[in-house]
Structures are given as C-alpha cells and as structure tokens.
Amino acid sequence: MKRWYALYTKPREEVWARTNLEERGLEVYLPRYLKRRSHARKVEMVKTPLFPRYIFARADISLGERPAMAYAQGVEYVLSFGNQLGTVDDILIEEIRRREDENGLVTMGIDTGFKPGQQVRVADGAFSDHIGLFQCSSDDQRVFVLLNLMGGSVRGRLPAESISAEL
C-alpha cells in the first residue's frame, strides 16, 4: 500500500531531491510559498520550501521502494522513529494542497483584502489615525504601508490587524 513518507534532505537541495525521486518513479510533494527576501537594497519574492529540508514521497515499502527514497541524490534520510518509518497522513498532504494558489504555492498568513496602492488608515499603535498606502503583505502576519511622515514617505511594517480601509 502506498503511503506518504517524510524525507530529510541535504541543505537547500529540496528541489534537487524532488527531481531525483521523480526520476525514480515516485510521487513527490514539495510544498513551497513566496518569501520576501532583502539583499543589497533589493527586495524580491522567492519560492521557498514550506518545511526547509523536508519533502514528502509516496511509496509502497512492501514493493521495495524504500531504497529508491533513501538513496536518491539530495536525500539525507527517510524520517523514522526507531525501526519504524515515519508516515504522513494523506489528510495532512491534502490540507496543505488545499492552501495552494493557482501557481501551486501555499498561501501564508491572512488575506488582507487590500490592493497595492490602496489608501488605508492605521487603526492603532504608534501611528494611529495616520493615512498611508498599502504596499504588500509579509509572510509573517504583517503588512507594509507607506506613511507620509516628516515631509516624506516612510515604509512601515505593521501588524495586519492594525490597518483598515475606513478613512
């Protein structure tokens, strides 16, 4: 019977391991999401594994598919507890897949409902009652808002629940 197994990969080799497992005929799932990354004054959104160093493979151990998982390039080991391989319920994999958008990326956090450039009011906190322009959501329940402070635009990172569309 085919079951899902958690595999621990080498650092930053989740995609490489997935490719090698798929070439061995296994069904593989690598959930990813968009993460905000800043580097040298450049901000970009990059596809990042939801569970760094972990991927899921569906195999039938009774048919001898364990070596195909354990010895694929990029895989360090199949997660186990003693002599028992760690399995993952189909329901958990389905739940993660239900959270994917049309691009196959898991949506993180809450949907604020705001569009980039939309005017918002800061409802509470140090910037309470300031009006700003919504920029984007972060991957940690926060949003970025451009606030007009001290004669210029200042980018603020605020909790998502602290802004509203009511002006």
Side-chain angles (χ1 to χ4, degrees):
M1 177 166 113
K2 287 199 176 233
R3 307 223 33 203
W4 286 102
Y5 297 93
L7 286 73
Y8 191 68
T9 68
K10 294 180 179 174
R12 293 175 298 284
E13 290 193 9
E14 298 90 351
V15 174
W16 174 242
R18 179 187 66 190
T19 301
N20 288 309
L21 289 162
E22 288 172 343
E23 286 176 356
R24 293 168 180 239
L26 296 173
E27 182 181 353
V28 183
Y29 182 49
L30 171 58
R32 296 190 294 172
Y33 73 106
L34 281 180
K35 180 179 181 179
R36 183 178 174 276
R37 179 173 68 181
S38 300
H39 179 68
R41 296 185 188 197
K42 181 179 176 185
V43 176
E44 60 186 351
M45 300 299 279
V46 295
K47 292 178 183 178
T48 304
L50 185 61
F51 308 107
R53 295 192 72 180
Y54 288 94
I55 60 174
F56 304 101
R58 194 161 190 245
D60 190 341
I61 298 302
S62 66
L63 295 178
E65 291 183 326
R66 181 179 181 170
M69 289 190 304
Y71 301 116
Q73 289 183 338
V75 174
E76 247 183 66
Y77 57 84
V78 179
L79 196 67
S80 62
F81 303 97
N83 290 333
Q84 187 70 20
L85 291 179
T87 60
V88 179
D89 286 332
D90 290 348
I91 295 169
L92 180 62
I93 300 294
E94 290 169 16
E95 180 59 33
I96 297 170
R97 282 187 166 154
R98 269 197 290 275
R99 294 173 185 251
E100 290 180 350
D101 62 14
E102 62 278 356
N103 298 316
L105 298 169
V106 177
T107 54
M108 299 295 292
I110 57 172
D111 180 17
T112 62
F114 298 113
K115 296 188 181 346
Q118 180 179 348
Q119 276 196 334
V120 294
R121 176 185 297 275
V122 180
D124 58 20
F127 300 109
S128 182
D129 291 328
H130 278 82
I131 303 295
L133 296 177
F134 177 81
Q135 277 195 310
C136 64
S137 295
S138 167
D139 57 356
D140 60 354
Q141 307 288 325
R142 296 190 176 270
V143 295
F144 290 95
V145 178
L146 280 179
L147 298 169
N148 189 5
L149 300 171
M150 299 179 284
S153 292
V154 177
R155 187 174 196 224
R157 186 170 176 224
L158 307 167
E161 64 273 3
S162 73
I163 63 168
S164 73
E166 297 175 13
L167 303 176

mmCIF file of all heavy atoms in Angstrom, residues 9 63 74 81:
data_model
loop_
_atom_site.group_PDB
_atom_site.id
_atom_site.type_symbol
_atom_site.label_atom_id
_atom_site.label_comp_id
_atom_site.label_asym_id
_atom_site.label_seq_id
_atom_site.Cartn_x
_atom_site.Cartn_y
_atom_site.Cartn_z
ATOM 1 N N THR A 9 16.281 16.255 3.621
ATOM 2 C CA THR A 9 17.198 16.485 2.505
ATOM 3 C C THR A 9 18.483 17.159 2.972
ATOM 4 O O THR A 9 18.574 17.640 4.101
ATOM 5 C CB THR A 9 16.551 17.386 1.431
ATOM 6 O OG1 THR A 9 16.380 18.690 1.961
ATOM 7 C CG2 THR A 9 15.230 16.825 0.969
ATOM 8 N N LEU A 63 6.749 -3.129 -1.798
ATOM 9 C CA LEU A 63 7.220 -3.407 -3.163
ATOM 10 C C LEU A 63 8.696 -3.070 -3.336
ATOM 11 O O LEU A 63 9.213 -3.055 -4.452
ATOM 12 C CB LEU A 63 6.383 -2.627 -4.188
ATOM 13 C CG LEU A 63 4.907 -3.001 -4.302
ATOM 14 C CD1 LEU A 63 4.213 -2.113 -5.308
ATOM 15 C CD2 LEU A 63 4.748 -4.473 -4.666
ATOM 16 N N GLY A 74 20.459 14.035 -2.958
ATOM 17 C CA GLY A 74 19.799 15.149 -2.303
ATOM 18 C C GLY A 74 19.075 14.759 -1.030
ATOM 19 O O GLY A 74 18.784 15.588 -0.197
ATOM 20 N N PHE A 81 11.278 6.589 13.334
ATOM 21 C CA PHE A 81 11.232 6.569 14.794
ATOM 22 C C PHE A 81 11.626 5.162 15.215
ATOM 23 O O PHE A 81 10.820 4.240 15.146
ATOM 24 C CB PHE A 81 9.834 6.948 15.289
ATOM 25 C CG PHE A 81 9.391 8.291 14.772
ATOM 26 C CD1 PHE A 81 8.585 8.385 13.641
ATOM 27 C CD2 PHE A 81 9.803 9.454 15.386
ATOM 28 C CE1 PHE A 81 8.199 9.615 13.157
ATOM 29 C CE2 PHE A 81 9.420 10.694 14.901
ATOM 30 C CZ PHE A 81 8.611 10.770 13.777
#
